Amino acid sequence: MKYDKVIRDLARTQHQVVARRQLTAAGVDYRAINNRIRSGYLEPVTDRVLRLNGAPASSAQNLMITLLHVGPDTYLSHTTAAAWWGISGFRIEPIHVAMERVYRVRNVGLPVVVHHSTVIPEWCRKLHIGVPVVSPGLAIYQLAAILGPDRVAKAMDNAWSLRLMDGRVVDDLILRLGQHGRDGTVLMRKLRKARPDPWIPPASNLESRFDQIAGANGFSFRRQVDVGGEDWSGRVDFLADDCPLIVEILSERYHTSLTDREADAERRKRQTELGFVVVEVWDHEIFHTPWLIIERIRKARESLLIGSTRLDRHD
């Protein structure tokens, strides 16, 4: 009976699965383990991992089976870690795991990629929904070593907007890991430089996509800025760094009803009275005709430049 309690207590913390090595370490001998397999109390899911009979299957349980089978002190990593934290654009499988030491891995029956990391810092070892996983920041750092800059930038922005990480976390990672020449450091430094404090991550994929389009054409904007000072006119999607130019991102879903159009018109009127030029960008334009957006921004900047020149001459 004492063995049953040891097994239950351990399985309860691991989505109803245990590793043979864990039971042995807890004092459950080989004979007692086999007796419980024969009686149906435990069922083998791999040659290293056992499940309590009747326990319902789940995604978390499948991940725990993989981690326990691979070896001790193993954590979800890379794309799998990003997906488990809820960072968009990534899938759980193939399951990526990381461990510090080299450990012989037999076939687990699931698609698994094992990374033998130089170091997994203690402060980057987390437990999320009961599953060991590297921190969101370290997952992004790992992705920076294997993926292109655009995809890593999107992942960082999404993790930032989900409040899974921020500039302080990125700085800390670069400081602690970058000095060892870790893969991905150059890209992490570049992405951090592009996100100086105070920086607000994109609230949507539309904002992120516009940011990329504007940056690729040499335009620099601040995101989610309060405008108007004492005559506050609200928060705008984008404000140019060097002139009173506002860009508002509109979606057909939220800006096509009569009341929406009236509210938008009133908002534009207030912004214009405060001296801003407003360029409106629709969601379908961002994905299908970005060159039209750039042309409107250029014309708006030209009108501001001409107006500024006239004022200078008048003075």
Side-chain angles (χ1 to χ4, degrees):
M1 292 298 293
K2 71 173 183 177
Y3 287 159
D4 292 343
K5 185 178 185 307
V6 169
I7 295 170
R8 284 196 308 272
D9 289 347
L10 185 56
R12 188 180 299 116
T13 65
Q14 300 180 154
H15 296 281
Q16 308 304 317
V17 292
V18 294
R20 288 178 179 267
R21 57 178 166 75
Q22 291 179 315
L23 296 179
T24 301
V28 183
D29 59 40
Y30 181 81
R31 180 180 175 182
I33 294 172
N34 284 341
N35 284 341
R36 280 154 181 78
I37 293 174
R38 282 194 293 268
S39 69
Y41 185 73
L42 293 171
E43 59 174 331
V45 286
T46 78
D47 59 349
R48 291 179 173 178
V49 183
L50 307 167
R51 175 169 50 203
L52 288 181
N53 197 8
S58 66
S59 297
Q61 185 184 94
N62 288 337
L63 292 172
M64 282 301 308
I65 290 170
T66 302
L67 290 168
L68 292 174
H69 180 92
V70 170
D73 297 323
T74 304
Y75 296 81
L76 300 183
S77 67
H78 297 76
T79 54
T80 301
W84 194 240
W85 284 110
I87 300 171
S88 63
F90 299 95
R91 296 182 177 180
I92 293 294
E93 294 186 358
I95 300 172
H96 287 256
V97 302
M99 60 193 314
E100 287 185 349
R101 54 178 149 173
V102 177
Y103 194 82
R104 185 182 177 189
V105 180
R106 302 189 189 96
N107 182 20
V108 70
L110 290 171
V112 58
V113 180
V114 180
H115 300 268
H116 297 287
S117 300
T118 304
V119 62
I120 303 175
E122 190 66 33
W123 47 278
C124 290
R125 303 180 183 205
K126 305 296 182 179
L127 198 68
H128 182 52
I129 317 178
V131 179
V133 58
V134 302
S135 67
L138 181 56
I140 300 298
Y141 212 116
Q142 293 171 332
L143 295 178
I146 63 173
L147 299 179
D150 287 347
R151 195 172 179 195
V152 178
K154 288 180 181 179
M156 179 180 286
D157 289 348
N158 187 236
W160 206 312
S161 66
L162 292 172
R163 298 185 179 182
L164 296 173
M165 61 184 295
D166 55 22
R168 178 189 55 79
V169 171
V170 178
D171 292 339
D172 206 23
L173 284 164
I174 293 173
L175 178 64
R176 299 197 194 192
L177 302 180
Q179 59 186 339
H180 301 297
R182 190 177 184 120
D183 291 344
T185 299
V186 172
L187 179 54
M188 290 293 286
R189 284 179 174 147
K190 181 179 179 181
L191 295 177
R192 175 56 171 140
K193 185 177 180 181
R195 293 157 177 78
D197 295 326
W199 184 78
I200 300 174
S204 67
N205 288 333
L206 288 174
E207 288 189 4
S208 181
R209 178 60 180 152
F210 173 79
D211 228 1
Q212 291 177 345
I213 294 169
N217 286 272
F219 299 126
S220 179
F221 289 88
R222 287 180 290 150
R223 189 185 302 108
Q224 297 297 321
V225 181
D226 291 327
V227 297
E230 293 182 0
D231 298 321
W232 187 70
S233 181
R235 175 167 291 187
V236 299
D237 292 332
F238 290 92
L239 177 65
D241 284 339
D242 57 351
C243 64
L245 172 62
I246 290 171
V247 174
E248 296 279 32
I249 310 297
L250 307 179
S251 70
E252 293 185 1
R253 181 177 181 182
Y254 297 110
H255 292 271
T256 53
S257 71
L258 178 60
T259 55
D260 288 337
R261 292 198 300 269
E262 290 175 347
D264 289 340
E266 180 61 29
R267 179 180 169 90
R268 286 194 302 271
K269 180 183 176 182
R270 292 198 307 270
Q271 292 165 347
T272 301
E273 290 172 347
L274 290 170
F276 295 98
V277 171
V278 182
V279 173
E280 294 182 338
V281 174
W282 287 91
D283 50 2
H284 61 85
E285 293 179 311
I286 289 178
F287 294 104
H288 300 294
T289 56
W291 59 90
L292 297 180
I293 297 172
I294 297 304
E295 183 62 24
R296 289 209 297 275
I297 291 175
R298 287 199 177 110
K299 287 183 178 179
R301 291 177 62 84
E302 288 174 3
S303 69
L304 284 167
L305 180 60
I306 292 173
S308 177
T309 302
R310 288 174 177 170
L311 286 174
D312 291 343
R313 288 175 179 173
H314 180 71
D315 291 341

